[in-house]
Amino acid sequence: MKKWIPIASGLLAGFVAATISFADFSKSTNNQVASGNNKSNAEKVYVPFGEKDDYYLFASGGHSGQMFIYGVPSMRHIRTVPVFSPDSATGYGFDEHTKKMMGDYTWGDLHHPAFSETNGDYDGKYMFATDVGNSRAAAMNLETFTVKDIINVPNTSGPHCAAFVTENTEYMFLPTRFAVPIGSEYKSLDEYSEQYRGVMSAVTFDQDKEKLNIAYQVALPPWSYDLSDAGKKSSADWAVMTTYNTEEATTNLEINASQADRDYIVLFNWKELEKMVAEGQYDEVTGQKMIFPEKHKGGIYLVPVAKSPHGVDVTPDGKHFIASGKLAPSMTVFSFEKAFEAVKNQDFSGERNGIPILKYESVMEREVNPENALGPLHTQFDDKGMAYTTMFISSEIVKWDPKTGETLDRVPVQYSPGHSVAAEGDTVSPDGKWLIALNKIAKDSYLSVGPSHPESMQLIDISGKKMEVIQSSPVNPEPHYAQIIKADKIKTIEVYPKDENNELATYKQEDAKIVRNGNEVHVYGIAMRSKFIFDAKAKRPDVIEVNQGDKVFIHLTNTDFDEDITHGFAINSYNLNIEVQPGQTNTLEFTANKAGTFPLYCSNFCSALHQEMTGYFLVKPKN
C-alpha cells in the first residue's frame, strides 16, 4: 500500500493545480440559464427566430433621402423606406403617385423624423420628416410604411430643426436653417439684415385626406434655426427652438457666427399665433399668411442661451426645457413657469428685431456643467425624469438629474455622438429601458470599406443605476436623428383592401383590357402568381403592343391578396420599374419613345415560377 501513497499524492496535487489554473469559480456556469440582470450583453439583444423586437427605431437617412427602420434591441435593419430620393427596388419615384410627389427632385436630405402624437404620446399612425436639401416635408403612413404626401415649403430654405409635432399633432413647425429673402428673390448679401428672413412654417396634416398644408408662416429674424421641441402638459400650447448666427454674419460663419456672448431660444405660443391669424393679424405674402413679429405683436419671445446651441428638449412633465451650447461646456435648465411669469410681468431686457427678450436670470433655473464633459448637444429622458445628454467632443453620454444638476453616470461611446434617442424619450411617458447613441464617426470600429467609414449606433441599457453599452452596429448614413416607438403601437395592414370605387383597379382576370384613345393607351391589367394579364381577350394576354410616340398608362393591380406576395413590373431597356403590393393598384405613365421589342417581367421574387412571369412590350415604329 505504501507504494500507492506517492502516486495518490501526485494525482491529488495535480488535480488541485489544474483546478486552481483552469476552473471557473464564477456563479454562472455554461449550463446555467441566464435570467434578468444576470443576462450577458449578447442575451440582452438576442431575439430568437420567430419572435419580434419590442421596439421600432426610425432613423433619418440624411443625404440618402431615406428612412432606415431597425428593430430594438436586436438592432437588425428591417426596412429602408424611400422618402425624398427615388428607389429602384420599390419603384419609388417611378410610379405616377410617387413621381408627382417627388417633382423634379432626385435627392433629398432627410432630417428629424417625428411621430404623430395623441396627448403627448406616440400614437403609431404617422411619421413626419423634413428635407433640408430642397425645403420639403413628408408624411408617412405607418399602416403601410409608405409616403402619402410631400409638400414644398415656400419662403424657406432648409427646414432643418423640424419636424417636431405638437401634443395632439395639431401642427408641425418647420423653421429654416438658412435665411433667404422671402420668395427666394435675389438680394445682395450686403442687405442681409434688412432683406433676409428665417421663416418658420406652421404645417397641418389632414389625416382623412392624408395631405399636408401650410396654415401660416412667421417671418423671423435672419438667423439660423437649429432644433426645436413642442411643450407638454402645462406647456402644451408652447414650443421652443434654438438659433445661431444671431450676429447675422454672411461669410466664414465658423468665425463670424461665434462672436456674440449668447444666442437665443425662440419661445412661442402657437395657440396665440393661431388666434392672431384667425383675427387677420398677418400680411399676405407670396400667397401665404405671414406674421411679421415687429408688426404683429404677441406670442413670440426670445430667451438668451449659451453660445451656438444645438438641442433644446422639453422634459416629460412639460415643466422645463433644456438647451446646450456647442461652444459652452454646460447645459441650462429653463423653467416654463418662470418664463410664463416673466411674459406676464413683461420682465424684458430689451428686444431684437421687434421680439421681446426675456431676462436670462428670470427664466433660467440652473446651469449644469459635468466635469470634463465637452460639446453637449442633445438630451433625452427616462421614465424617472433623468436626463441623458450627448457630449460630441468628449464622446460620451452623461446621465444627470435636471432637478438638482447632479451628474449620476457617464459612459464613453465610439465616437462623437450628435444625437441620441431613448425609448419613447420625446414623449410624456418615456420607457426608461434603452438609449441609442447616434455616432458621427466610427473609424477603426469595423472592417475597412475604404477612406470613408460607416457611421454607428450604440445600444445602451439605461434600466439600472449604471448605463452599459451592450451593442454597436454599423449603419447607413446618416443617423442624424431618430425616434423609438413601442412595436405594439404600430398596426400594419397585411394586404391592401379592395377598393371597388377605384376606376383604375382590376380585380377579375376577365376584366383586364387595353383601351386606346387617340395616341393614349390605357392598360388595365393584373399581376398574379405567376403571370400578367393585360388583355383577357387577346391571343397573347401578357403582351402590350403600342405605337411609337404613344402615351402609355399601365394601371396594374396585384390580385394576390396574400401577405408578402409583392410583384414588380419592369420593362427591359425602358428604365422603368414599379412595385405592386398585395391588393394594391399602381400606375406607371410614360411615352413609348423607343420602337422595338422589349421584354417585361416581374422584378420582385414572388413564387417558384417567378422566372416565368414575363411578357412583351412591343412598340411599332412610326414608319
Side-chain angles (χ1 to χ4, degrees), residues 22-333:
F22 301 112
D24 182 2
F25 291 101
S26 65
K27 293 182 180 179
S28 298
T29 68
N30 290 337
N31 295 323
Q32 185 176 7
V33 178
S35 62
N37 295 330
N38 200 35
K39 283 184 177 180
S40 67
N41 288 347
E43 288 171 310
K44 286 180 181 180
V45 301
Y46 177 63
V47 179
F49 182 74
E51 296 185 16
K52 307 293 192 304
D53 279 290
D54 297 324
Y55 301 89
Y56 287 96
L57 165 67
F58 286 67
S60 65
H63 43 278
S64 73
Q66 299 171 328
M67 189 92 71
F68 300 115
I69 318 298
Y70 301 85
V72 175
S74 74
M75 300 302 290
R76 294 181 297 207
H77 179 205
I78 300 170
R79 171 71 72 176
T80 296
V81 180
V83 180
F84 295 119
S85 297
D87 177 53
S88 60
T90 59
Y92 187 85
F94 293 85
D95 67 75
E96 201 53 25
H97 170 64
T98 59
K99 185 167 64 174
K100 284 182 179 178
M101 284 197 308
M102 294 275 294
D104 296 326
Y105 295 111
T106 58
W107 84 288
D109 189 6
L110 192 154
H111 281 235
H112 296 103
F115 289 114
S116 56
E117 295 184 13
T118 300
N119 296 325
D121 261 325
Y122 301 152
D123 57 27
K125 295 179 180 179
Y126 292 94
M127 165 61 74
F128 305 106
T130 56
D131 172 17
V132 176
N134 297 301
S135 302
R136 297 178 289 175
M140 180 196 304
N141 184 309
L142 297 181
E143 284 187 330
T144 58
F145 279 60
T146 55
V147 176
K148 293 300 181 179
D149 194 29
I150 294 177
I151 188 173
N152 291 293
V153 186
N155 302 319
T156 66
S157 189
H160 173 257
C161 76
F164 291 96
V165 301
T166 53
E167 194 173 54
N168 286 292
T169 320
E170 298 95 340
Y171 293 96
M172 50 193 262
F173 288 97
L174 315 183
T176 187
R177 176 180 173 185
F178 309 107
V180 295
I182 291 177
S184 295
E185 296 179 357
Y186 170 79
K187 298 291 182 181
S188 169
L189 284 166
D190 292 334
E191 303 176 274
Y192 184 86
S193 294
E194 297 78 27
Q195 297 293 338
Y196 286 62
R197 289 281 188 162
V199 172
M200 177 183 73
S201 301
V203 177
T204 59
F205 181 65
D206 186 327
Q207 295 192 19
D208 293 329
K209 297 179 180 178
E210 296 190 317
K211 296 292 293 182
L212 294 160
N213 300 283
I214 296 173
Y216 60 87
Q217 295 184 313
V218 182
L220 292 168
W223 308 335
S224 292
Y225 298 87
D226 200 359
L227 292 181
S228 62
D229 203 1
K232 302 175 177 70
K233 298 182 178 180
S234 61
S235 60
D237 297 350
W238 295 76
V240 286
M241 58 186 175
T242 56
T243 70
Y244 63 98
N245 192 25
T246 55
E247 295 86 351
E248 300 177 11
T250 59
T251 186
N252 297 326
L253 297 193
E254 79 284 3
I255 298 173
N256 295 324
S258 303
Q259 300 300 306
D261 179 53
R262 291 187 180 276
D263 283 309
Y264 297 108
I265 291 171
V266 179
L267 170 70
F268 64 95
N269 186 312
W270 57 266
K271 280 203 172 177
E272 189 170 341
L273 297 180
E274 181 183 68
K275 182 182 177 184
M276 289 168 60
V277 171
E279 294 173 348
Q281 296 185 55
Y282 62 86
D283 288 355
E284 190 86 18
V285 180
T286 67
Q288 302 298 323
K289 297 172 182 177
M290 186 79 71
I291 295 173
F292 289 85
E294 68 272 25
K295 179 181 178 181
H296 310 109
K297 295 292 187 178
I300 305 174
Y301 307 91
L302 300 177
V303 179
V305 68
K307 187 66 205 161
S308 295
H310 189 51
V312 57
D313 304 283
V314 176
T315 56
D317 59 14
K319 294 181 178 180
H320 299 89
F321 54 99
I322 297 168
S324 308
K326 289 184 291 185
L327 303 183
S330 65
M331 295 83 75
T332 306
V333 180

Side-chain angles (χ1 to χ4, degrees), residues 279-504:
E279 294 173 348
Q281 296 185 55
Y282 62 86
D283 288 355
E284 190 86 18
V285 180
T286 67
Q288 302 298 323
K289 297 172 182 177
M290 186 79 71
I291 295 173
F292 289 85
E294 68 272 25
K295 179 181 178 181
H296 310 109
K297 295 292 187 178
I300 305 174
Y301 307 91
L302 300 177
V303 179
V305 68
K307 187 66 205 161
S308 295
H310 189 51
V312 57
D313 304 283
V314 176
T315 56
D317 59 14
K319 294 181 178 180
H320 299 89
F321 54 99
I322 297 168
S324 308
K326 289 184 291 185
L327 303 183
S330 65
M331 295 83 75
T332 306
V333 180
F334 296 94
S335 165
F336 272 113
E337 185 178 348
K338 288 185 176 181
F340 300 157
E341 191 68 20
V343 169
K344 178 182 176 182
N345 297 330
Q346 296 189 0
D347 193 5
F348 305 141
S349 62
E351 66 176 34
R352 277 287 302 269
N353 300 62
I355 305 175
I357 303 172
L358 300 177
K359 289 182 180 178
Y360 177 74
E361 59 272 15
S362 298
V363 183
M364 184 272 293
E365 195 154 287
R366 67 180 49 83
E367 293 180 350
V368 180
N369 187 4
E371 186 177 5
N372 298 324
L374 300 174
L377 291 186
H378 178 228
T379 300
Q380 288 278 277
F381 304 96
D382 65 16
D383 55 336
K384 299 176 181 63
M386 299 301 104
Y388 299 77
T389 300
T390 55
M391 299 292 170
F392 182 82
I393 297 174
S394 55
S395 289
E396 60 180 329
I397 305 291
V398 174
K399 176 182 178 180
W400 56 284
D401 188 344
K403 294 182 177 65
T404 65
E406 179 189 2
T407 298
L408 302 174
D409 193 19
R410 55 207 303 168
V411 63
V413 294
Q414 290 73 40
Y415 304 93
S416 301
H419 290 270
S420 65
V421 55
E424 309 225 343
D426 287 335
T427 72
V428 295
S429 55
D431 272 15
K433 195 168 185 180
W434 303 111
L435 179 86
I436 295 175
L438 310 176
N439 302 323
K440 298 293 188 183
I441 297 173
K443 60 183 178 181
D444 75 23
S445 296
Y446 309 107
L447 288 173
S448 175
V449 289
S452 179
H453 294 260
E455 283 85 6
S456 77
M457 294 194 298
Q458 287 181 292
L459 181 68
I460 303 171
D461 184 347
I462 61 170
S463 60
K465 288 186 178 180
K466 302 290 290 184
M467 294 183 287
E468 184 180 10
V469 178
I470 63 173
Q471 188 177 18
S472 182
S473 302
V475 294
N476 292 299
E478 172 205 13
H480 181 84
Y481 191 79
Q483 292 203 311
I484 298 175
I485 186 172
K486 294 175 184 175
D488 59 10
K489 285 187 176 181
I490 294 182
K491 310 297 183 184
T492 56
I493 62 171
E494 293 186 355
V495 300
Y496 282 84
K498 279 188 178 182
D499 182 3
E500 301 293 353
N501 295 321
N502 184 357
E503 296 178 353
L504 304 180

